[in-house]
Amino acid sequence: MNKENQFQQNINSEDPFIKSLYSDLNERIIAYEQEDAVKIDKMKWKATGSIFFMILIIVYLVYSLV
């Protein structure tokens, strides 16, 4: 919690350099978190597609062996 307070204090700082530095850092963190969420969604779809194709191959092999 102390780090969050320090971070917020630096964003609201009177020094324009520190304020711009921490504001930019905050924007980059938010953008990275949003990008990370999109990557997770894409990975879920890729995993679902791979599992679907594996099930199709297994069904085909079982059907051809029976």
Side-chain angles (χ1 to χ4, degrees):
M1 180 126 166
N2 190 19
K3 289 183 181 182
E4 291 178 10
N5 289 337
Q6 184 68 31
F7 190 78
Q8 192 62 37
Q9 286 176 354
N10 287 332
I11 289 176
N12 297 329
S13 175
E14 296 296 323
D15 185 4
F17 176 73
I18 293 177
K19 185 175 183 172
S20 67
L21 185 70
Y22 277 88
S23 295
D24 184 51
L25 177 62
N26 190 37
E27 291 171 7
R28 289 174 186 248
I29 289 171
I30 291 170
Y32 178 76
E33 289 173 347
Q34 290 174 350
E35 180 182 314
D36 201 31
V38 170
K39 286 181 181 178
I40 290 172
D41 287 341
K42 287 181 181 178
M43 287 190 305
K44 285 180 185 177
W45 280 106
K46 287 181 181 180
T48 304
S50 298
I51 291 171
F52 176 73
F53 283 115
M54 284 190 280
I55 290 172
L56 283 176
I57 292 169
I58 291 170
V59 168
Y60 173 75
L61 291 173
V62 168
Y63 177 74
S64 65
L65 293 175
V66 172

